[in-house]
């Protein structure tokens, strides 16, 4: 999913990919480098001048990585803990033990669901 303000970037990145494919037969490295510089400049300009609504769109982007994505990328042997022995498991909080390099660590983070409108879905399921 590409946000409206990201479309110019995506279009330029696609052009660079097309040009790289043609680079096997033609020497267009100078043009590719110029286009990549333009992409970097455009990216900086776009993200330095985001409106409050665009920031919200980025924060809520469905493909944005979540806490567990980061945990699994940066740790080894992550063991997630569940429940509090009295009430139950809070799906919005994730925590557990892991190894980062030579260190044993405890990690706690906020985890939102991947299904949009999960709270509405839960409410509807509870009604029946």
């Amino acid at each position: 999913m590409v946000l409206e303000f990201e479309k110019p970037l995506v279009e330029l990145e696609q052009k660079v990919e097309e040009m790289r494919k043609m680079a096997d037969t033609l020497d267009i490295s100078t043009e590719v480098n110029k286009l990549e510089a333009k992409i970097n400049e455009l990216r900086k300009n776009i993200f330095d001048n985001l409106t409050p609504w665009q920031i919200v769109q980025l924060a809520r982007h469905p493909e944005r990585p979540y806490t567990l994505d980061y945990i699994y990328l940066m740790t080894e042997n992550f063991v997630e803990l569940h429940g509090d022995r009295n009430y139950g498991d809070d799906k919005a909080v994730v925590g557990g033990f892991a190894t980062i390099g030579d260190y044993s660590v405890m990690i706690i983070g906020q985890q939102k669901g991947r299904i949009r409108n999960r709270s509405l879905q839960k409410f509807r399921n509870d009604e029946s």
Side-chain angles (χ1 to χ4, degrees):
M1 177 179 161
V2 177
L3 298 173
E4 192 65 35
F5 61 89
E6 294 176 307
K7 286 183 180 178
L9 277 175
V10 172
E11 291 170 4
L12 282 175
E13 288 170 345
Q14 288 171 345
K15 285 183 184 179
V16 167
E17 281 303 313
E18 291 171 12
M19 291 175 76
R20 282 193 178 126
K21 290 177 185 174
M22 294 188 318
D24 294 338
T25 57
L26 302 170
D27 183 20
I28 54 174
S29 60
T30 305
E31 287 81 10
V32 169
N33 290 340
K34 286 180 185 177
L35 205 49
E36 286 176 335
K38 186 175 180 179
I39 288 171
N40 290 334
E41 182 181 322
L42 182 60
R43 179 179 289 117
K44 181 172 178 16
N45 187 29
I46 288 173
F47 287 96
D48 282 350
N49 297 299
L50 291 176
T51 66
W53 175 240
Q54 290 169 330
I55 293 170
V56 169
Q57 288 178 303
L58 279 175
R60 294 179 179 173
H61 197 286
E63 295 173 13
R64 182 177 180 200
Y66 297 123
T67 302
L68 283 174
D69 298 327
Y70 289 113
I71 289 172
Y72 289 124
L73 283 174
M74 63 187 227
T75 68
E76 300 171 19
N77 308 322
F78 179 66
V79 177
E80 187 174 354
L81 302 177
H82 292 278
D84 64 3
R85 295 187 182 186
N86 289 319
Y87 179 70
D89 198 22
D90 184 352
K91 304 280 188 218
V93 178
V94 62
F97 298 104
T99 306
I100 299 177
D102 294 333
Y103 297 95
S104 295
V105 296
M106 171 72 178
I107 298 176
I108 300 173
Q110 181 181 2
Q111 176 78 12
K112 70 178 193 174
R114 292 204 184 266
I115 299 171
R116 294 183 87 186
N117 296 328
R118 173 164 266 184
S119 59
L120 290 176
Q121 184 181 27
K122 181 184 181 319
F123 176 73
R124 289 184 185 135
N125 291 340
D126 288 346
E127 279 185 332
S128 52

